[in-house]
């Protein structure tokens, strides 16, 4: 059963309530959720499900199910399981998620400073990276850091835009990421627009204004194979 993805419309929801619709070996399914499931390079959320008794069921990870828009909330081994039909309070680890949102949005900005095909990426709470198909000599850490921070400091309001699969097919230049094609099958594709900076398909969670990122540091740049140059960043504060 498809889960209503509340984070898609409001990435800032820290709490919500939901009903249990399935309890499986690999996770708990809810009718709606604020937990982002691992995908598009962004780590799955952690947090807790709170029963009416106040008992807390920790959630160690969040994963997508096989069917479109299904989400599994994964408790650690040995944790209590709720009952189907039960109403639970949802709480995400907000500090961790907000770091992911800031780093994720920073990668969008950086992908416009380093102009090359993106071959991979990853967003963890402490650091994030993009891999580019580019010559090593074209990557200068100080320049990337400085130009990315200048764009971030513009304080641009980010926007979510939906287009149809057909519209995306007509604009292949929107897809920068060779390794991660935008999710299809629902007939429409979600884009993140940072006006004047970036526009690309993305299902992840982003900050509302680039100023919330603060700034970034380039931790390192290294070669990860013939066509992969990895640029790793962290938040500067
Ligand atoms: Zn994104």
């Amino acid at each position: 059963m498809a889960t209503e993805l509340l984070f898609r419309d409001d990435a800032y929801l820290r709490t919500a309530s939901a009903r249990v619709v399935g309890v499986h070996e690999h996770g708990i399914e809810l009718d709606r959720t604020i937990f982002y499931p691992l995908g598009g390079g962004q780590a799955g959320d952690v947090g807790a499900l709170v029963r009416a008794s106040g008992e807390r069921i920790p959630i160690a990870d969040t994963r997508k199910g096989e069917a479109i828009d299904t989400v599994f909330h994964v408790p650690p081994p040995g944790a209590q399981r709720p009952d189907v039909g039960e109403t639970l309070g949802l709480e995400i680890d907000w500090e961790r998620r907000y770091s992911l949102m800031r780093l994720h949005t920073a990668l969008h900005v950086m992908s416009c400073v380093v102009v090359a095909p993106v071959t991979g990426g990853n967003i963890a709470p402490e650091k994030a990276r993009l891999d580019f198909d580019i010559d090593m000599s074209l990557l200068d850490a100080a320049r990337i850091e400085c130009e990315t921070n200048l764009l971030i400091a513009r304080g641009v309001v980010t926007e979510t835009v939906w287009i149809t699969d057909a519209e995306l097919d007509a604009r292949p230049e929107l897809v920068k990421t060779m390794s991660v094609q935008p999710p299809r099958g629902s007939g429409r594709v979600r884009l993140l627009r940072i006006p004047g900076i970036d526009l690309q398909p993305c299902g992840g969670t982003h900050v509302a204004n680039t100023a919330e990122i603060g700034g970034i540091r380039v931790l390192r740049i290294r070669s990860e194979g013939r066509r992969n140059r990895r640029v790793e960043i962290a938040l500067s504060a």
Side-chain angles (χ1 to χ4, degrees), residues 36 40 42 101 104-105 107-108 123 190-192 198 200-206:
Y36 180 81
Q42 181 178 331
M101 285 163 57
H104 185 141
T105 312
L107 289 186
H108 280 271
I123 303 139
R190 184 177 187 258
L191 305 180
L192 177 74
D198 188 36
Q200 63 179 293
C202 190
T205 58
H206 310 97

PDB file of all heavy atoms in Angstrom, residues 36 40 42 101 104-105 107-108 123 190-192 198 200-206, ligand 1:
ATOM      1  N   TYR A  36      12.037  10.022   5.764  1.00  0.00           N
ATOM      2  CA  TYR A  36      12.532   9.913   4.387  1.00  0.00           C
ATOM      3  C   TYR A  36      13.247   8.573   4.219  1.00  0.00           C
ATOM      4  O   TYR A  36      14.156   8.244   4.978  1.00  0.00           O
ATOM      5  CB  TYR A  36      13.518  11.070   4.099  1.00  0.00           C
ATOM      6  CG  TYR A  36      14.076  11.017   2.706  1.00  0.00           C
ATOM      7  CD1 TYR A  36      13.339  11.503   1.632  1.00  0.00           C
ATOM      8  CD2 TYR A  36      15.322  10.438   2.452  1.00  0.00           C
ATOM      9  CE1 TYR A  36      13.833  11.419   0.343  1.00  0.00           C
ATOM     10  CE2 TYR A  36      15.822  10.359   1.165  1.00  0.00           C
ATOM     11  CZ  TYR A  36      15.073  10.851   0.121  1.00  0.00           C
ATOM     12  OH  TYR A  36      15.558  10.769  -1.161  1.00  0.00           O
ATOM     13  N   GLY A  40      18.212   8.326  -3.691  1.00  0.00           N
ATOM     14  CA  GLY A  40      18.809   9.480  -4.337  1.00  0.00           C
ATOM     15  C   GLY A  40      20.102   9.898  -3.657  1.00  0.00           C
ATOM     16  O   GLY A  40      20.492  11.061  -3.728  1.00  0.00           O
ATOM     17  N   GLN A  42      20.567  10.091  -0.492  1.00  0.00           N
ATOM     18  CA  GLN A  42      20.323  10.625   0.856  1.00  0.00           C
ATOM     19  C   GLN A  42      19.985   9.502   1.833  1.00  0.00           C
ATOM     20  O   GLN A  42      19.118   8.660   1.548  1.00  0.00           O
ATOM     21  CB  GLN A  42      19.190  11.659   0.819  1.00  0.00           C
ATOM     22  CG  GLN A  42      18.907  12.284   2.196  1.00  0.00           C
ATOM     23  CD  GLN A  42      17.809  13.354   2.150  1.00  0.00           C
ATOM     24  OE1 GLN A  42      17.609  14.018   1.151  1.00  0.00           O
ATOM     25  NE2 GLN A  42      17.098  13.508   3.254  1.00  0.00           N
ATOM     26  N   MET A 101      19.422  17.793   5.085  1.00  0.00           N
ATOM     27  CA  MET A 101      18.761  18.760   4.194  1.00  0.00           C
ATOM     28  C   MET A 101      19.722  19.865   3.753  1.00  0.00           C
ATOM     29  O   MET A 101      19.736  20.277   2.587  1.00  0.00           O
ATOM     30  CB  MET A 101      17.542  19.385   4.904  1.00  0.00           C
ATOM     31  CG  MET A 101      16.353  18.435   4.977  1.00  0.00           C
ATOM     32  SD  MET A 101      15.084  18.897   6.198  1.00  0.00           S
ATOM     33  CE  MET A 101      14.624  20.535   5.703  1.00  0.00           C
ATOM     34  N   HIS A 104      22.367  18.267   1.472  1.00  0.00           N
ATOM     35  CA  HIS A 104      21.757  17.884   0.202  1.00  0.00           C
ATOM     36  C   HIS A 104      21.587  19.115  -0.701  1.00  0.00           C
ATOM     37  O   HIS A 104      21.939  19.100  -1.879  1.00  0.00           O
ATOM     38  CB  HIS A 104      20.415  17.204   0.467  1.00  0.00           C
ATOM     39  CG  HIS A 104      19.766  16.657  -0.749  1.00  0.00           C
ATOM     40  ND1 HIS A 104      19.092  15.471  -0.770  1.00  0.00           N
ATOM     41  CD2 HIS A 104      19.694  17.145  -2.003  1.00  0.00           C
ATOM     42  CE1 HIS A 104      18.638  15.264  -1.996  1.00  0.00           C
ATOM     43  NE2 HIS A 104      18.987  16.276  -2.764  1.00  0.00           N
ATOM     44  N   THR A 105      21.056  20.201  -0.112  1.00  0.00           N
ATOM     45  CA  THR A 105      20.859  21.419  -0.894  1.00  0.00           C
ATOM     46  C   THR A 105      22.208  21.991  -1.342  1.00  0.00           C
ATOM     47  O   THR A 105      22.337  22.501  -2.464  1.00  0.00           O
ATOM     48  CB  THR A 105      20.046  22.439  -0.068  1.00  0.00           C
ATOM     49  OG1 THR A 105      18.898  21.771   0.488  1.00  0.00           O
ATOM     50  CG2 THR A 105      19.578  23.602  -0.929  1.00  0.00           C
ATOM     51  N   LEU A 107      24.797  20.289  -2.178  1.00  0.00           N
ATOM     52  CA  LEU A 107      25.263  19.537  -3.354  1.00  0.00           C
ATOM     53  C   LEU A 107      24.613  20.063  -4.632  1.00  0.00           C
ATOM     54  O   LEU A 107      25.257  20.119  -5.686  1.00  0.00           O
ATOM     55  CB  LEU A 107      24.979  18.032  -3.211  1.00  0.00           C
ATOM     56  CG  LEU A 107      25.794  17.245  -2.191  1.00  0.00           C
ATOM     57  CD1 LEU A 107      25.471  15.753  -2.311  1.00  0.00           C
ATOM     58  CD2 LEU A 107      27.299  17.458  -2.352  1.00  0.00           C
ATOM     59  N   HIS A 108      23.333  20.431  -4.541  1.00  0.00           N
ATOM     60  CA  HIS A 108      22.680  21.026  -5.727  1.00  0.00           C
ATOM     61  C   HIS A 108      23.456  22.272  -6.173  1.00  0.00           C
ATOM     62  O   HIS A 108      23.682  22.474  -7.368  1.00  0.00           O
ATOM     63  CB  HIS A 108      21.237  21.428  -5.415  1.00  0.00           C
ATOM     64  CG  HIS A 108      20.264  20.287  -5.460  1.00  0.00           C
ATOM     65  ND1 HIS A 108      19.617  19.912  -6.610  1.00  0.00           N
ATOM     66  CD2 HIS A 108      19.831  19.456  -4.501  1.00  0.00           C
ATOM     67  CE1 HIS A 108      18.811  18.893  -6.346  1.00  0.00           C
ATOM     68  NE2 HIS A 108      18.924  18.597  -5.071  1.00  0.00           N
ATOM     69  N   ILE A 123      24.817  11.426   0.614  1.00  0.00           N
ATOM     70  CA  ILE A 123      24.597  12.432   1.644  1.00  0.00           C
ATOM     71  C   ILE A 123      24.429  11.713   2.975  1.00  0.00           C
ATOM     72  O   ILE A 123      23.465  10.970   3.174  1.00  0.00           O
ATOM     73  CB  ILE A 123      23.353  13.285   1.341  1.00  0.00           C
ATOM     74  CG1 ILE A 123      23.484  13.944  -0.035  1.00  0.00           C
ATOM     75  CG2 ILE A 123      23.162  14.350   2.412  1.00  0.00           C
ATOM     76  CD1 ILE A 123      22.216  13.946  -0.829  1.00  0.00           C
ATOM     77  N   ARG A 190       9.353  14.997  -9.739  1.00  0.00           N
ATOM     78  CA  ARG A 190       9.529  16.161  -8.868  1.00  0.00           C
ATOM     79  C   ARG A 190      10.883  16.802  -9.169  1.00  0.00           C
ATOM     80  O   ARG A 190      11.891  16.116  -9.295  1.00  0.00           O
ATOM     81  CB  ARG A 190       9.489  15.665  -7.434  1.00  0.00           C
ATOM     82  CG  ARG A 190       9.550  16.708  -6.352  1.00  0.00           C
ATOM     83  CD  ARG A 190       9.419  15.924  -5.042  1.00  0.00           C
ATOM     84  NE  ARG A 190       9.303  16.747  -3.874  1.00  0.00           N
ATOM     85  CZ  ARG A 190      10.301  16.986  -3.029  1.00  0.00           C
ATOM     86  NH1 ARG A 190      11.507  16.512  -3.284  1.00  0.00           N
ATOM     87  NH2 ARG A 190      10.090  17.691  -1.935  1.00  0.00           N
ATOM     88  N   LEU A 191      10.871  18.128  -9.284  1.00  0.00           N
ATOM     89  CA  LEU A 191      12.116  18.868  -9.526  1.00  0.00           C
ATOM     90  C   LEU A 191      12.371  19.790  -8.350  1.00  0.00           C
ATOM     91  O   LEU A 191      11.440  20.292  -7.724  1.00  0.00           O
ATOM     92  CB  LEU A 191      12.006  19.746 -10.778  1.00  0.00           C
ATOM     93  CG  LEU A 191      11.602  19.127 -12.110  1.00  0.00           C
ATOM     94  CD1 LEU A 191      11.570  20.219 -13.173  1.00  0.00           C
ATOM     95  CD2 LEU A 191      12.560  18.028 -12.521  1.00  0.00           C
ATOM     96  N   LEU A 192      13.666  20.016  -8.082  1.00  0.00           N
ATOM     97  CA  LEU A 192      14.031  21.086  -7.164  1.00  0.00           C
ATOM     98  C   LEU A 192      14.550  22.247  -8.005  1.00  0.00           C
ATOM     99  O   LEU A 192      15.445  22.067  -8.836  1.00  0.00           O
ATOM    100  CB  LEU A 192      15.121  20.667  -6.183  1.00  0.00           C
ATOM    101  CG  LEU A 192      15.519  21.856  -5.276  1.00  0.00           C
ATOM    102  CD1 LEU A 192      14.456  22.138  -4.233  1.00  0.00           C
ATOM    103  CD2 LEU A 192      16.872  21.685  -4.647  1.00  0.00           C
ATOM    104  N   ASP A 198      20.020  26.385  -9.966  1.00  0.00           N
ATOM    105  CA  ASP A 198      19.917  24.977 -10.353  1.00  0.00           C
ATOM    106  C   ASP A 198      18.460  24.581 -10.570  1.00  0.00           C
ATOM    107  O   ASP A 198      17.554  25.128  -9.949  1.00  0.00           O
ATOM    108  CB  ASP A 198      20.524  24.090  -9.254  1.00  0.00           C
ATOM    109  CG  ASP A 198      20.644  22.625  -9.664  1.00  0.00           C
ATOM    110  OD1 ASP A 198      20.924  22.365 -10.857  1.00  0.00           O
ATOM    111  OD2 ASP A 198      20.471  21.741  -8.813  1.00  0.00           O
ATOM    112  N   GLN A 200      16.786  20.610 -11.247  1.00  0.00           N
ATOM    113  CA  GLN A 200      16.973  19.207 -11.621  1.00  0.00           C
ATOM    114  C   GLN A 200      16.016  18.296 -10.871  1.00  0.00           C
ATOM    115  O   GLN A 200      15.536  18.639  -9.799  1.00  0.00           O
ATOM    116  CB  GLN A 200      18.419  18.768 -11.402  1.00  0.00           C
ATOM    117  CG  GLN A 200      18.904  18.815  -9.976  1.00  0.00           C
ATOM    118  CD  GLN A 200      20.345  18.330  -9.873  1.00  0.00           C
ATOM    119  OE1 GLN A 200      20.648  17.164 -10.103  1.00  0.00           O
ATOM    120  NE2 GLN A 200      21.244  19.227  -9.554  1.00  0.00           N
ATOM    121  N   PRO A 201      15.736  17.117 -11.451  1.00  0.00           N
ATOM    122  CA  PRO A 201      14.829  16.186 -10.790  1.00  0.00           C
ATOM    123  C   PRO A 201      15.419  15.728  -9.464  1.00  0.00           C
ATOM    124  O   PRO A 201      16.610  15.423  -9.390  1.00  0.00           O
ATOM    125  CB  PRO A 201      14.753  14.996 -11.762  1.00  0.00           C
ATOM    126  CG  PRO A 201      15.259  15.518 -13.059  1.00  0.00           C
ATOM    127  CD  PRO A 201      16.243  16.592 -12.721  1.00  0.00           C
ATOM    128  N   CYS A 202      14.621  15.719  -8.418  1.00  0.00           N
ATOM    129  CA  CYS A 202      15.108  15.251  -7.131  1.00  0.00           C
ATOM    130  C   CYS A 202      13.939  14.959  -6.207  1.00  0.00           C
ATOM    131  O   CYS A 202      13.021  15.760  -6.093  1.00  0.00           O
ATOM    132  CB  CYS A 202      16.015  16.291  -6.482  1.00  0.00           C
ATOM    133  SG  CYS A 202      16.852  15.615  -5.035  1.00  0.00           S
ATOM    134  N   GLY A 203      13.996  13.812  -5.546  1.00  0.00           N
ATOM    135  CA  GLY A 203      12.939  13.442  -4.610  1.00  0.00           C
ATOM    136  C   GLY A 203      13.328  13.652  -3.158  1.00  0.00           C
ATOM    137  O   GLY A 203      12.605  13.255  -2.258  1.00  0.00           O
ATOM    138  N   GLY A 204      14.488  14.269  -2.922  1.00  0.00           N
ATOM    139  CA  GLY A 204      15.010  14.374  -1.554  1.00  0.00           C
ATOM    140  C   GLY A 204      14.430  15.532  -0.766  1.00  0.00           C
ATOM    141  O   GLY A 204      13.491  16.201  -1.197  1.00  0.00           O
ATOM    142  N   THR A 205      14.992  15.760   0.412  1.00  0.00           N
ATOM    143  CA  THR A 205      14.532  16.855   1.279  1.00  0.00           C
ATOM    144  C   THR A 205      15.566  17.980   1.237  1.00  0.00           C
ATOM    145  O   THR A 205      16.759  17.741   1.305  1.00  0.00           O
ATOM    146  CB  THR A 205      14.328  16.376   2.728  1.00  0.00           C
ATOM    147  OG1 THR A 205      15.554  15.847   3.230  1.00  0.00           O
ATOM    148  CG2 THR A 205      13.251  15.316   2.807  1.00  0.00           C
ATOM    149  N   HIS A 206      15.065  19.210   1.116  1.00  0.00           N
ATOM    150  CA  HIS A 206      15.926  20.384   0.935  1.00  0.00           C
ATOM    151  C   HIS A 206      15.547  21.474   1.913  1.00  0.00           C
ATOM    152  O   HIS A 206      14.411  21.511   2.390  1.00  0.00           O
ATOM    153  CB  HIS A 206      15.778  20.917  -0.497  1.00  0.00           C
ATOM    154  CG  HIS A 206      15.925  19.873  -1.542  1.00  0.00           C
ATOM    155  ND1 HIS A 206      14.839  19.250  -2.116  1.00  0.00           N
ATOM    156  CD2 HIS A 206      17.019  19.317  -2.096  1.00  0.00           C
ATOM    157  CE1 HIS A 206      15.268  18.350  -2.996  1.00  0.00           C
ATOM    158  NE2 HIS A 206      16.585  18.363  -2.999  1.00  0.00           N
TER     159      HIS A 206
HETATM  160 ZN1  LIG B   1      17.845  17.216  -4.093  1.00  0.00          ZN
END
